[in-house]
Amino acid sequence: MSEPLLEIRDLNMHFPLKQGVFQKTTNYVKAVNGVSFTLNKGETLGIVGESGCGKSTLARTIVGLLKPTSGDILFEGESILQYHSKELHQLRRDVQMVYQDPYTSLNPRMRAGDIIAAPLKAYNQRDHLRKRVLELMELVGLKADDYKKLPHQFSGGQRQRIGIARALALNPKLIILDEPVSALDVSVQAQVINLLEDLQEELGLTYLFIAHDLSVIRHISDRVGVMYLGKMMEMSDSESLYKNARHPYTNALLSAIPLPYPLKEKKRERIVLKGELPSPSNPPSGCVFHTRCPFATEFCKGNVPTLDENNEADHYVSCFYPMENKQEEFIRQ
Amino acid sequence: MLEVKNLKAHIDTTDGVVRAVDGVSFTIKPGETVGIVGESGSGKSVLAHSIMQLNPKPPTFYPQGEIIFEGKDLLQLQDKELRKIRGKEIAMIFQDPMSSLNPVFKIGDQLMEAILTHHHLPKSKAKQRAIELLTDVGIPDPEKRMNAYPHQFSGGMRQRVLIAIALACNPKILIADEPTTALDVTIQAQILELMKNIQEKYGTAIIIISHDLGVIAQMAEKVLVMYSGRIVEKGDVEDIFYRTSMPYTWSLLRSLPRIDSESRNRLLNIEGHPPNLIHPPSGCNFHPRCPFASEQCKMVDPELTKRSPEHYVACILSEMEFKEAKKRMENVEREGDLNHV
Ligand SMILES: Nc1ncnc2c1ncn2[C@@H]1O[C@H](COP(=O)(O)OP(=O)(O)OP(=O)(O)O)[C@@H](O)[C@H]1O
Ligand SMILES: Nc1ncnc2c1ncn2[C@@H]1O[C@H](COP(=O)(O)OP(=O)(O)OP(=O)(O)O)[C@@H](O)[C@H]1O
Ligand code: SF4
Ligand code: SF4
Ligand SMILES: [Mg+2]
Ligand SMILES: [Mg+2]
């Protein structure tokens, strides 16, 4: 039975752009613009999109680092935006975050063991502290004698393991992973992905997994959401999204990925998007994708599609003219 | 046209000598695309910089090898002669487009400077050529954009400008070191397409460096796989991807999440991480991580040997032995899966 752990309702995070000597707010960066979704217990939801589309902002809003402009965030059915400090304290145990950059997200002067112990100390769980840290280190594949080492003495993959151990310390229910493998080499990336999958199975974790790599997202996610300029363009179970992508943007993304099959690559017809990403402080009117969409019509310039437009079962698309996808056919040739 | 023979590029550091490039040989013909793939620290950039003679000497030194370009060994040339080749005959684009453009000069001026370094042209002609180049690389409104500064351009546009600068003198070889690593996939697709079009139009030979096996599969005709400063497998792109014969290349391909894999197969775990290049492992450099390593691999350093006319592999396993080793491993995995159920 799927039970919602996290529900996001019409979430907006708009950053004011200030200008001039009086720092007057002249405009807003709509980093997250009307996003809604539900994440069930034990599930992995992958969020994918190009740089600046609002993925990290979404993550930071959910862990409470940013106060959203509007909308609601429910954790286990309760609105966290109404929480007082005591409840927030508890929430911060239940929801943990792992960051992209294993080089800057760890304090360079702290020993690995102390980094992992820090959340335990912050929550006054000092009993058997060292034993618990060693347990966590073993869980993520670090050796006991790594305890005393400083971050610079580890490789990128090992540093990411430290970050994961730190996130696991307080037995969280939800882990938000913001590009956890983007900075890693392929072989090390595979180690970390395998580790995350094993941990999920062992500990029954729920993941919100952010990445810009569609292959990684497919591999790890049960469901996938595709973001563009602060908006969710398409969302469905992973299988259906990759087999039957219906949004023109998702299709363009899929078609842009170079595949490790040279013969297919030579024959491949790509949808190469024209132009650059528009600025999120001045997003296009109507459908935000219309300036780059190969199928845009006059109607798309003046009307805003919503995510339930043309919704088929559990597959949501924010587009007036969704496509029948040919990517999968191509990939399977 | 360009032949690199048994090249070693080592770097003196306080901790010891880094064997960044350690005995690399390959050739590139006019109009051809050679892809170099390998994980970070495998020596790809040092190799590329060696060809351009851009590695600072010291600390870099070349204990061995030749880089023959049109009959001349670039390692033996004086700076003055090198300057005539660098940028004009062989040009390079780098991973980070921001740091290779000068932030205080206008795009147009930087482009014209590149043109005027190697050609004596009146300024108006150079300007005309600059606008032509910007048009070639797909910058909209090129006349106006000549007056823009680098920070006014997005990452993709800056990479286009760098390609324009690299093309300014119509070089015979373009070396692209991770040209799209910093870019989003849709922009990457644009830049890769642009590079192909340019090659078609001007017949430029391209050396493209990437850690992304997909980019290499899409762009390259010949592929060099690098591991700890060496080429461990080289061949036609199809040899590398469809007749993979070196355990490292094979492991890399198996550790890659696939967009077409429905079953969500577990990714292959290559244990450990790339080796230290000051004290590389004994025997085969890959042995501490190789799923097929035997005692012998710790002692014998396998040479790159010919398997078919274009396909070279550095591994002590013969084709048959490698096939059987893979089969054994797959059986073990299957049993593992059964135990799991
Ligand atoms: N504190 C802030 N103040 C103003 N603008 C911000 C702030 N944080 C983020 N932004 C803007 O919001 C937009 C979304 O940023 P965000 O970091 O969420 O994107 P992202 O999808 O995580 O991108 P990336 O893939 O590059 O990490 C960007 O345009 C960014 O410049
Ligand atoms: N100036 C330097 N001083 C000392 N060591 C160096 C220097 N430049 C490179 N190295 C070392 O040489 C080796 C090869 O580096 P190189 O930059 O060629 O790797 P790469 O394959 O390009 O990696 P990446 O994918 O990260 O760009 C690395 O071990 C690196 O640490
Ligand atoms: S609504 Fe129109 S512009 Fe937007 S994605 Fe669909 S077809 Fe394209
Ligand atoms: S020589 Fe041995 S260690 Fe090296 S790749 Fe071949 S089997 Fe593996
Ligand atoms: Mg981000
Ligand atoms: Mg490099």
Side-chain angles (χ1 to χ4, degrees):
Chain A
M1 196 38 228
S2 48
E3 197 183 325
L5 181 67
L6 178 74
E7 287 163 80
I8 306 293
R9 291 192 186 150
D10 197 18
L11 193 71
N12 286 285
M13 184 66 232
H14 299 178
F15 296 107
L17 267 180
K18 296 193 197 299
Q19 253 171 13
V21 263
F22 300 110
Q23 287 290 297
K24 258 177 47 191
T25 299
T26 50
N27 201 349
Y28 289 91
V29 178
K30 298 179 176 172
V32 174
N33 198 359
V35 166
S36 303
F37 61 82
T38 302
L39 174 55
N40 291 323
K41 275 190 184 143
E43 202 180 59
T44 300
L45 172 65
I47 301 284
V48 66
E50 295 179 282
S51 69
C53 70
K55 305 181 296 294
S56 297
T57 304
L58 176 66
R60 291 166 64 209
T61 318
I62 296 170
V63 293
L65 290 171
L66 290 171
K67 195 171 161 32
T69 315
S70 66
D72 208 353
I73 302 172
L74 309 183
F75 186 76
E76 299 189 308
E78 284 178 47
S79 170
I80 67 168
L81 301 179
Q82 315 302 327
Y83 274 176
H84 296 294
S85 59
K86 204 179 133 200
E87 297 149 311
L88 272 176
H89 193 66
Q90 173 65 31
L91 180 79
R92 299 230 161 94
R93 298 179 53 158
D94 289 342
V95 184
Q96 290 289 325
M97 188 143 163
V98 174
Y99 299 88
Q100 161 168 4
D101 193 344
Y103 301 86
T104 56
S105 60
L106 305 176
N107 182 339
R109 281 180 297 276
M110 267 169 88
R111 302 182 306 169
D114 297 329
I115 292 174
I116 299 167
L120 293 165
K121 287 183 189 156
Y123 280 80
N124 260 320
Q125 302 186 356
R126 286 163 195 275
D127 300 348
H128 313 294
L129 185 66
R130 196 183 158 83
K131 189 169 152 263
R132 173 75 180 135
V133 171
L134 287 171
E135 229 173 68
L136 286 161
M137 288 176 63
E138 194 188 332
L139 196 62
V140 299
L142 292 169
K143 292 194 280 294
D145 54 348
D146 290 335
Y147 195 107
K148 299 186 296 291
K149 288 193 198 156
L150 294 169
H152 75 89
Q153 293 173 289
F154 292 95
S155 68
Q158 287 172 316
R159 273 183 269 217
Q160 203 53 295
R161 288 175 198 268
I162 299 173
I164 293 169
R166 174 177 62 184
L168 290 173
L170 296 166
N171 293 318
K173 293 175 180 158
L174 170 65
I175 301 188
I176 297 178
L177 302 123
D178 190 0
E179 309 253 13
V181 296
S182 307
L184 305 177
D185 268 317
V186 184
S187 67
V188 179
Q189 166 180 292
Q191 295 167 5
V192 174
I193 290 175
N194 286 341
L195 171 67
L196 289 170
E197 288 179 333
D198 292 345
L199 290 171
Q200 181 167 45
E201 204 179 295
E202 223 171 297
L203 307 172
L205 295 167
T206 306
Y207 290 150
L208 183 71
F209 192 103
I210 294 171
H212 61 264
D213 183 328
L214 278 146
S215 311
V216 170
I217 286 282
R218 170 158 205 181
H219 182 84
I220 201 149
S221 311
D222 302 302
R223 284 199 312 135
V224 178
V226 180
M227 282 182 78
Y228 184 80
L229 282 183
K231 287 192 167 282
M232 201 62 86
M233 296 282 110
E234 183 161 9
M235 178 168 261
S236 89
D237 69 273
S238 172
E239 203 62 32
S240 169
L241 187 100
Y242 284 86
K243 275 202 171 150
N244 185 25
R246 305 192 69 224
H247 198 284
Y249 178 60
T250 313
N251 277 291
L253 275 182
L254 285 171
S255 117
I257 304 174
L259 300 170
Y261 310 113
L263 282 178
K264 285 183 193 171
E265 277 296 338
K266 305 260 133 77
K267 289 186 292 191
R268 192 166 178 193
E269 298 269 343
R270 294 206 134 77
I271 311 172
V272 175
L273 287 184
K274 298 215 169 38
E276 308 276 326
L277 223 72
S279 154
S281 59
N282 188 15
S285 63
C287 171
V288 285
F289 187 52
H290 89 248
T291 52
R292 299 174 81 200
C293 179
F295 311 107
T297 64
E298 276 305 310
F299 187 75
C300 306
K301 292 183 194 166
N303 297 278
V304 184
T306 54
L307 191 61
D308 45 24
E309 209 84 48
N310 292 297
N311 147 30
E312 262 181 15
D314 250 351
H315 190 144
Y316 300 90
V317 203
S318 172
C319 171
F320 296 120
Y321 316 106
M323 309 170 65
E324 287 311 317
N325 177 257
K326 296 283 180 283
Q327 291 302 321
E328 187 76 10
E329 243 169 69
F330 162 78
I331 293 171
R332 297 207 164 279
Q333 266 167 23
Chain B
M1 179 167 51
L2 177 77
E3 184 171 14
V4 175
K5 282 192 203 165
N6 211 358
L7 181 72
K8 292 193 177 179
H10 293 181
I11 304 166
D12 251 329
T13 69
T14 47
D15 299 330
V17 173
V18 178
R19 299 152 174 260
V21 174
D22 208 27
V24 162
S25 303
F26 70 95
T27 56
I28 183 164
K29 300 193 187 84
E32 196 173 55
T33 305
V34 170
I36 303 179
V37 66
E39 295 183 286
S40 73
S42 58
K44 306 182 297 294
S45 295
V46 173
L47 174 59
H49 287 90
S50 302
I51 297 170
M52 292 289 281
Q53 286 291 293
L54 286 175
N55 289 315
K57 289 193 283 193
T60 314
F61 60 102
Y62 299 93
Q64 190 185 306
E66 292 168 282
I67 303 172
I68 311 287
F69 176 71
E70 300 194 319
K72 286 184 209 145
D73 184 356
L74 301 185
L75 291 180
Q76 307 299 336
L77 292 188
Q78 301 298 315
D79 267 359
K80 206 176 122 208
E81 293 169 285
L82 275 174
R83 265 195 301 265
K84 280 192 213 145
I85 292 177
R86 205 186 284 148
K88 182 161 189 292
E89 308 280 347
I90 309 178
M92 185 156 173
I93 48 179
F94 302 87
Q95 169 167 351
D96 180 359
M98 195 57 200
S99 62
S100 16
L101 287 169
N102 191 329
V104 300
F105 291 113
K106 290 176 184 165
I107 296 287
D109 293 346
Q110 298 192 45
L111 192 45
M112 279 166 63
E113 195 200 305
I115 297 167
L116 292 169
T117 332
H118 293 291
H119 297 283
H120 296 286
L121 289 177
K123 259 201 140 173
S124 62
K125 274 268 167 57
K127 186 169 178 193
Q128 204 184 332
R129 173 86 182 121
I131 293 171
E132 230 173 76
L133 282 164
L134 287 180
T135 316
D136 264 357
V137 297
I139 303 268
D141 225 349
E143 259 150 272
K144 247 200 236 149
R145 294 307 186 104
M146 291 278 286
N147 294 317
Y149 289 92
H151 72 90
Q152 294 172 303
F153 277 22
S154 68
M157 299 268 272
R158 281 183 216 133
Q159 201 56 289
R160 284 174 194 270
V161 172
L162 280 182
I163 293 176
I165 291 177
L167 291 174
C169 297
N170 203 354
K172 296 186 176 122
I173 303 177
L174 177 66
I175 304 177
D177 188 0
E178 309 259 8
T180 57
T181 305
L183 306 175
D184 278 318
V185 272
T186 60
I187 308 298
Q188 164 169 288
Q190 293 173 353
I191 298 291
L192 294 180
E193 194 178 71
L194 171 67
M195 287 176 58
K196 279 194 219 157
N197 293 342
I198 297 272
Q199 181 170 50
E200 227 160 81
K201 186 163 169 192
Y202 295 105
T204 322
I206 295 179
I207 298 177
I208 182 166
I209 296 174
S210 179
H211 62 271
D212 184 330
L213 287 151
V215 169
I216 295 294
Q218 186 189 332
M219 298 293 289
E221 294 153 75
K222 296 255 172 62
V223 179
L224 317 175
V225 182
M226 279 190 84
Y227 189 75
S228 69
R230 306 198 174 181
I231 295 177
V232 294
E233 183 165 7
K234 77 176 170 185
D236 289 339
V237 66
E238 288 164 33
D239 288 331
I240 302 298
F241 285 88
Y242 300 129
R243 293 179 286 280
T244 317
S245 302
M246 158 74 195
Y248 174 63
T249 319
W250 181 83
S251 308
L252 263 192
L253 284 165
R254 293 266 314 241
S255 64
L256 207 60
R258 298 292 177 103
I259 197 129
D260 56 339
S261 89
E262 214 166 293
S263 46
R264 288 171 69 177
N265 285 332
R266 198 176 161 77
L267 303 174
L268 178 76
N269 241 339
I270 309 180
E271 301 292 338
H273 44 89
N276 172 319
L277 298 184
I278 296 177
H279 305 290
S282 64
C284 171
N285 282 356
F286 186 50
H287 89 253
R289 311 177 71 197
C290 179
F292 311 118
S294 61
E295 276 306 309
Q296 212 189 337
C297 303
K298 294 183 192 161
M299 271 113 61
V300 185
D301 184 0
E303 297 234 359
L304 197 60
T305 44
K306 195 185 256 189
R307 288 289 166 85
S308 68
E310 298 290 340
H311 193 181
Y312 291 77
V313 180
C315 174
I316 59 165
L317 297 180
S318 70
E319 214 175 312
M320 261 328 272
E321 286 166 333
F322 181 50
K323 231 178 225 163
E324 272 160 23
K326 281 190 295 185
K327 211 183 271 166
R328 271 199 303 278
M329 183 160 152
E330 268 150 24
N331 285 337
V332 171
E333 273 176 15
R334 213 164 292 137
E335 271 164 36
D337 282 350
L338 288 177
N339 291 341
H340 215 76
V341 175

